[in-house]
Amino acid sequence: MRRIQTLLAVMVLFAGAGDRLSADEPSEKPEVTVTLLDGTWADARRYIAEQKGKVVVVVDFWSTSCLPCMTEFPNLVKLKDKYGDKVVRVSFNLDYAGIKSKPPSYYRPRVEKFLTLRKADFRNYLCTVDALDFFDEMDLNSIPAVFVYGRDGSLAKRFDDSLLEPGEEEAFTYEADIFPFLDKLVK
């Protein structure tokens, strides 16, 4: 119950944060095509399984109501420049909160706008399952979270709030944690 209260408090605190980030939005018109697929974790897992034996897969769990998520998201985009075809990028959006009057399609324009402005030209999912149910299913307490899968298809590392050290504000960042991990994994 405490976890649900914490998640709801964070969602209320950052509600509409995606709309307030206009100063952070790139000024150039994007030159990429972004595709946002409705899906569940099972859909993403099938895609991850298709990559087995080929590449490392990085899955970023995020929401437009999560300022730390949006701050780190450009680093997911940068993986292409840093690792090329050795890494496949996947974004898994968790905006849908299970409210009947606001189905997943309600969040689509805001999520697509964010992805387009960030030039997220990779596999993007809009979760069609209530975020709280997803958190329980994945044993996650908060986002952002990033899962890295090795070439063998198995989960190599979870970057989530379980890595939070006393006195630190963030449990991980791409620069300090994920990039160095990938440097070793993609060799």
Side-chain angles (χ1 to χ4, degrees):
M1 184 62 161
R2 184 164 188 245
R3 212 165 87 186
I4 293 172
Q5 291 170 332
T6 302
L7 177 63
L8 290 174
V10 169
M11 291 176 83
V12 168
L13 180 65
F14 291 115
D19 299 330
R20 293 191 307 267
L21 288 182
S22 58
D24 188 43
E25 292 176 354
S27 57
E28 297 177 16
K29 188 163 188 147
E31 300 169 4
V32 300
T33 302
V34 171
T35 304
L36 180 60
L37 305 169
D38 288 342
T40 64
W41 181 235
D43 297 317
R45 288 286 300 152
R46 277 190 289 280
Y47 180 69
I48 294 164
E50 290 172 9
Q51 310 312 311
K52 184 178 179 179
K54 302 175 193 171
V55 293
V56 172
V57 179
V58 176
V59 183
D60 192 309
F61 301 98
W62 67 285
S63 170
T64 60
S65 62
C66 168
L67 190 53
C69 296
M70 293 186 296
T71 301
E72 284 294 317
F73 194 90
N75 289 305
L76 178 65
V77 177
K78 289 179 187 176
L79 290 178
K80 182 176 185 179
D81 293 336
K82 190 161 175 58
Y83 300 104
D85 294 337
K86 296 178 183 177
V87 174
V88 167
R89 302 160 294 155
V90 178
S91 86
F92 199 86
N93 177 272
L94 296 165
D95 275 17
Y96 176 54
I99 301 169
K100 289 185 182 191
S101 64
K102 295 181 179 180
S105 60
Y106 172 86
Y107 301 95
R108 177 174 285 283
R110 179 168 67 187
V111 173
E112 284 178 333
K113 178 182 178 184
F114 178 85
L115 292 170
T116 300
L117 289 170
R118 297 321 181 273
K119 300 181 180 184
D121 61 344
F122 41 83
R123 182 68 61 122
N124 297 286
Y125 289 98
L126 175 64
C127 187
T128 56
V129 174
D130 178 338
L132 292 176
D133 292 339
F134 179 82
F135 275 66
D136 286 341
E137 175 187 346
M138 301 300 290
D139 195 29
L140 279 175
N141 291 319
S142 66
I143 50 177
V146 175
F147 289 8
V148 178
Y149 291 84
R151 285 186 188 98
D152 64 356
S154 66
L155 181 63
K157 182 138 179 131
R158 280 177 64 135
F159 293 90
D160 59 22
D161 69 340
S162 69
L163 302 175
L164 189 62
E165 295 289 332
E168 290 184 356
E169 289 186 28
E170 300 294 334
F172 66 91
T173 66
Y174 273 85
E175 289 289 335
D177 304 292
I178 297 172
F179 290 161
F181 183 76
L182 289 173
D183 287 344
K184 295 176 187 173
L185 198 61
V186 299
K187 285 184 178 182

